[in-house]
Amino acid sequence: MDSKKKVIENSFLFTFSSVLVRAIGFLLLPVYTFFLTPEEYGTFNLINGFLQISIFIVALSLNSGIVRFFVDYQTDIEKLKRFLGSVILFVCVSGLLFITLGVIFKDILISILFEGVSFYPILLLAFLTVTFMTLHRMHQGILQALQNGKKITVINIVVFLTQASLNLLFIGPFHLGVTGMLLAQLIVYIGYVIFMVFDLSKNNLITYSIDFKLLREALKYSIPLLPHNLSTNIATFVSRVFINSNSSLAVVGLYSVATQFGMVIDIIQTSVHKAFVPWFFNSMKNKENNEDVDIVNFTKILLIAYTIAYMLIGLFSQEVIIFMTQERYLMAWSVIPILVLAYSVKSIYYFFVSILFYYKNASNKIFIATLTGSFADILLAYLLIPPFGMYGAALAFLIAKIIVVIIVLYISLRYDKVFQVAAMLRILIPSWLFMGIGLYFSYTKYMTEFNWLNFFYKVLVLLIYLLFLILTNKKLINMFIRSDNALIKRVKNVISRG
């Protein structure tokens, strides 16, 4: 297959499979909220946040270097086999040490991080899962390095269906609650690691021994990446810890439901960004060759499409929560518009960070923004959660995203001024205003109930907003709807890849 076609095919397959795995929490939200109390759902999400941090700690970020070293060693199969065997065995040893330390210091961990959560069986299941989850992430990296999009998609579909089935079985007929969900997760990842061993052995890709020279080289590359990889996950986890400490696990559960809707936006943004970056790099190269490249208008089209998604989620999250979840989760909707606002601010980040990725000597400065934003998120969560609860966590997240955007904007403008933040804000700010107008009655009169008049009022606000977009972007929309225009072809390419 032509290399370009393979990249396009794998872009779609990787995105589809990763979205499917990441979206399991959202797709099964009606089931989870039916069988689990807010306390149980909060416990599960608190544990899951811990697991997302632990997989980087156990591997010391070696999973981030799999693709990089695979490329270096692929011409020397014996060296590649020793490398893969070394990192996998290292994770096994590191994971065993992690479990041992968890058992020894369980009382300290519970008092600081897991107030109200029992070690047996809940935290023990979590510690047992970490190693298998880390190895799963490594195998996914190996498949990505092999550019085997079809295989990774099939595997992820099987993982998704298996985990969903076991979750339904354990929390439904067996009534195991959060313990059942964690047990299902452990069983799935144990099964996956068994498959991984079989797959690597069958394809002669591993030698089960530790080559300390290769391991040192890999750790030298991966350990500096650890702060960057941990930063966002730590901020998310710490917010849940603060909510639990100052409120309850039930409030953690409500906030976790709200973040599922934020995750939908995040999936859309990251998927389109993955497809946008290669196009942007090529366009920047053409721009340097004095070719006419309409980067600005293309960016506006994408941003306008984003705002429509923001409006739909922000305006109608209340109705979706009412119909998807149980009454005890109803108030989760009230946090979602704040998270939507945060992710809409983050959309500016994705465009400007592309500049830093394009200029090689600028890419090493990205961590400044991510680390600063994460520290700000943690500090603000510490200050805002005690008085405002889950709303404080959402506000901390929003302010942290604004800080990250400001830093990335400042750094990127030193390299290129292809994007204009003022033009982006002229697109985003009206969507924020319309969303606020549309949610007025939801916050003031119908906070805890569904009302048809309120629903149709939101629909009317959405239609007026769409009319506003049409009237204020006539020229841009005309360019978009002309099938022979190069801009629409670029948009179609980004959408099909993302």
Side-chain angles (χ1 to χ4, degrees), residues 233-404:
N233 289 314
I234 284 179
T236 302
F237 175 63
V238 168
S239 292
R240 285 171 167 76
V241 172
F242 286 155
I243 293 173
N244 182 32
S245 300
N246 291 279
S247 298
S248 66
L249 285 168
V251 179
V252 176
L254 295 181
Y255 186 68
S256 298
V257 168
T259 58
Q260 292 294 330
F261 287 78
M263 183 205 65
V264 173
I265 297 176
D266 193 39
I267 288 174
I268 295 171
Q269 287 180 334
T270 53
S271 297
V272 174
H273 178 68
K274 286 178 182 177
F276 174 80
V277 167
W279 175 86
F280 175 73
F281 286 176
N282 287 326
S283 298
M284 289 292 287
K285 189 175 293 185
N286 293 334
K287 179 170 167 283
E288 290 173 359
N289 295 330
N290 296 317
E291 295 183 25
D292 184 23
V293 180
D294 202 352
I295 297 175
V296 174
N297 281 338
F298 183 45
T299 302
K300 287 180 179 177
I301 286 290
L302 289 176
L303 205 54
I304 288 170
Y306 279 154
T307 63
I308 296 172
Y310 303 151
M311 287 288 289
L312 287 170
I313 295 173
L315 285 178
F316 300 105
S317 57
Q318 181 183 15
E319 286 73 18
V320 175
I321 287 285
I322 289 173
F323 290 109
M324 278 186 69
T325 67
Q326 299 298 298
E327 185 177 352
R328 55 199 177 193
Y329 289 91
L330 182 60
M331 287 303 295
W333 82 265
S334 59
V335 185
I336 295 173
I338 304 174
L339 296 176
V340 170
L341 185 60
Y343 280 106
S344 69
V345 170
K346 190 179 179 181
S347 62
I348 300 175
Y349 160 84
Y350 279 114
F351 290 112
F352 280 94
V353 83
S354 301
I355 296 174
L356 301 185
F357 280 119
Y358 178 72
Y359 292 97
K360 294 177 181 177
N361 59 338
S363 60
N364 61 355
K365 297 178 177 65
I366 297 173
F367 83 96
I368 298 172
T370 54
L371 286 180
T372 305
S374 297
F375 281 126
D377 197 349
I378 293 170
L379 177 61
L380 290 166
Y382 176 77
L383 296 173
L384 295 176
I385 287 174
F388 302 113
M390 61 181 179
Y391 301 100
L395 285 171
F397 183 72
L398 168 61
I399 297 170
K401 291 301 167 229
I402 293 174
I403 292 171
V404 169

Side-chain angles (χ1 to χ4, degrees), residues 415-436:
Y415 292 89
D416 206 299
K417 297 182 179 180
V418 63
F419 298 126
Q420 295 181 344
V421 70
M424 293 182 177
L425 289 175
R426 281 196 292 270
I427 295 172
L428 290 173
I429 290 176
S431 70
W432 302 341
L433 295 175
F434 274 96
M435 189 187 305

Side-chain angles (χ1 to χ4, degrees), residues 121-307:
I122 294 176
L123 285 177
L124 181 60
L125 285 172
F127 275 99
L128 292 174
T129 302
V130 171
T131 305
F132 298 103
M133 186 178 283
T134 307
L135 291 172
H136 161 264
R137 185 74 62 90
M138 284 192 156
H139 188 246
Q140 294 274 299
I142 294 170
L143 293 177
Q144 183 182 344
L146 290 168
Q147 298 186 55
N148 199 333
K150 291 181 181 178
K151 185 174 182 178
I152 199 172
T153 301
V154 171
I155 291 171
N156 283 341
I157 289 174
V158 172
V159 169
F160 169 81
L161 293 175
T162 305
Q163 187 166 348
S165 300
L166 288 175
N167 279 338
L168 294 175
L169 179 65
F170 289 160
I171 68 175
F174 288 180
H175 302 291
L176 292 177
V178 65
T179 302
M181 292 182 68
L182 292 170
L183 181 60
Q185 197 166 243
L186 176 59
I187 292 172
V188 167
Y189 285 115
I190 289 175
Y192 188 98
V193 170
I194 293 172
F195 165 76
M196 179 195 76
V197 172
F198 171 79
D199 183 57
L200 293 177
S201 300
K202 179 184 176 183
N203 291 284
N204 195 28
L205 284 173
I206 190 168
T207 297
Y208 291 103
S209 64
I210 295 182
D211 187 320
F212 288 99
K213 183 179 179 181
L214 293 178
L215 184 59
R216 278 196 301 271
E217 186 179 353
L219 288 171
K220 187 177 178 181
Y221 173 87
S222 68
I223 290 176
L225 297 175
L226 195 56
H228 174 74
N229 287 331
L230 287 175
S231 57
T232 302
N233 289 314
I234 284 179
T236 302
F237 175 63
V238 168
S239 292
R240 285 171 167 76
V241 172
F242 286 155
I243 293 173
N244 182 32
S245 300
N246 291 279
S247 298
S248 66
L249 285 168
V251 179
V252 176
L254 295 181
Y255 186 68
S256 298
V257 168
T259 58
Q260 292 294 330
F261 287 78
M263 183 205 65
V264 173
I265 297 176
D266 193 39
I267 288 174
I268 295 171
Q269 287 180 334
T270 53
S271 297
V272 174
H273 178 68
K274 286 178 182 177
F276 174 80
V277 167
W279 175 86
F280 175 73
F281 286 176
N282 287 326
S283 298
M284 289 292 287
K285 189 175 293 185
N286 293 334
K287 179 170 167 283
E288 290 173 359
N289 295 330
N290 296 317
E291 295 183 25
D292 184 23
V293 180
D294 202 352
I295 297 175
V296 174
N297 281 338
F298 183 45
T299 302
K300 287 180 179 177
I301 286 290
L302 289 176
L303 205 54
I304 288 170
Y306 279 154
T307 63

Side-chain angles (χ1 to χ4, degrees), residues 58-59 86-96 131 134-135 138:
V58 167
S86 298
V87 296
I88 287 173
L89 289 176
F90 173 83
V91 167
C92 292
V93 174
S94 177
L96 184 60
T131 305
T134 307
L135 291 172
M138 284 192 156

